[in-house]
Amino acid sequence: AQKVTQAQTEISVVEKEDVTLDCVYETRDTTYYLFWYKQPPSGELVFLIRRNSFDEQNEISGRYSWNFQKSTSSFNFTITASQVVDSAVYFCALRMEGGSEKLVFGKGTKLTVNP
Amino acid sequence: ETGVTQTPRHLVMGMTNKKSLKCEQHLGHNAMYWYKQSAKKPLELMFVYNFKEQTENNSVPSRFSPECPNSSHLFLHLHTLQPEDSALYLCATSQPDREIYGYTFGSGTRLTVV
């Protein structure tokens, strides 16, 4: 069975602090895809990144960075120098290769960045 | 604006009512999905449509009935719902051969069953 665990339910930081959101996944497949989405108060989920299981290279996009480690089945997300606009719920998700197109989501981590 | 539009944004309905949620996309994607987001629970996949054909029904009660009349529209027909069906219902689309961009979600319909 596929499962995504985001152990941090809520995190609160002060602006300019760095914050890491944890994501641990479970799957028996060797080929799979991992995603991060941001859900602001407006409701829609905004795509942030997609990673396939064969690409363990870490990625940086501006203030965002992702650390993918297959050895620990983790795909953690770090925001550097957080800003108030980063306040949202962040979801990690997993999808198998082929077959069903469905995404399996974690429960999400609510991030609040205070001024 | 994501290219996936859901209406209405908010809906309050009684348990005996019949209503429909609408999802419209202008992205040319071939796959469309309904997800349910309840408080303190993971997003739950409800239905998947590929090329207008339903390819997955994730054990959803029959009081939820999806319809995909064309590649741009997806509906979720609701009847005799229960209070526990109150949730945010999200529509998503994807293009299977171009999923480097992930799935595109609408803003959702906030449903309250009274």
Side-chain angles (χ1 to χ4, degrees):
Chain A
Q2 295 80 41
K3 184 180 177 182
V4 176
T5 301
Q6 294 179 256
Q8 304 149 309
T9 305
E10 293 191 42
I11 299 175
S12 183
V13 299
V14 177
E15 217 171 8
K16 299 185 182 177
E17 280 187 41
D18 298 347
V19 58
T20 295
L21 309 181
D22 297 333
C23 173
V24 174
Y25 62 92
E26 295 176 29
T27 178
R28 294 178 183 172
D29 286 23
T30 55
T31 303
Y32 51 89
Y33 302 91
L34 295 162
F35 298 80
W36 274 96
Y37 284 86
K38 174 183 179 180
Q39 187 178 37
S42 53
E44 78 278 10
L45 275 79
V46 178
F47 168 79
L48 296 178
I49 192 172
R50 168 191 184 268
R51 267 314 216 217
N52 72 54
S53 52
F54 297 110
D55 182 2
E56 286 193 74
Q57 193 170 19
N58 292 328
E59 182 158 338
I60 298 175
S61 176
R63 295 184 298 107
Y64 295 171
S65 62
W66 291 270
N67 182 358
F68 177 29
Q69 293 197 347
K70 286 180 76 171
S71 60
T72 56
S73 297
S74 65
F75 186 43
N76 296 338
F77 173 33
T78 298
I79 301 174
T80 303
S82 59
Q83 300 176 2
V84 173
V85 294
D86 295 328
S87 297
V89 181
Y90 290 85
F91 291 92
C92 182
L94 168 70
R95 185 176 80 77
M96 301 301 104
E97 169 74 4
S100 170
E101 304 288 340
K102 69 179 182 180
L103 286 175
V104 175
F105 285 87
K107 291 186 178 182
T109 297
K110 181 178 181 180
L111 174 65
T112 302
V113 181
N114 298 300
Chain B
E1 188 60 46
T2 65
V4 179
T5 303
Q6 289 188 246
T7 55
R9 290 298 306 272
H10 300 273
L11 177 64
V12 180
M13 61 185 287
M15 289 189 283
T16 59
N17 291 161
K18 288 185 181 181
K19 298 286 185 183
S20 295
L21 309 185
K22 179 181 176 182
C23 174
E24 184 173 2
Q25 61 126 337
H26 303 284
L27 302 170
H29 289 174
N30 292 324
M32 300 184 76
Y33 314 79
W34 280 116
Y35 277 86
K36 176 183 178 183
Q37 185 177 22
S38 305
K40 303 189 187 303
K41 293 177 69 175
L43 278 86
E44 302 170 66
L45 177 69
M46 300 175 74
F47 301 104
V48 180
Y49 276 82
N50 270 301
F51 294 94
K52 301 184 294 180
E53 297 295 322
Q54 185 176 314
T55 56
E56 184 153 347
N57 175 341
N58 211 26
S59 301
V60 180
S62 59
R63 58 184 182 270
F64 295 91
S65 175
E67 179 191 5
C68 189
N70 55 61
S71 58
S72 299
H73 294 89
L74 183 66
F75 294 91
L76 187 62
H77 303 300
L78 315 171
H79 65 96
T80 59
L81 295 191
Q82 305 298 312
E84 60 264 30
D85 296 323
S86 298
L88 179 68
Y89 288 86
L90 290 160
C91 174
T93 69
S94 71
Q95 185 64 11
D97 59 345
R98 289 192 284 123
E99 282 184 349
I100 187 68
Y101 302 109
Y103 294 27
T104 303
F105 284 83
S107 297
T109 295
R110 174 71 63 186
L111 173 68
T112 303
V113 181
V114 297

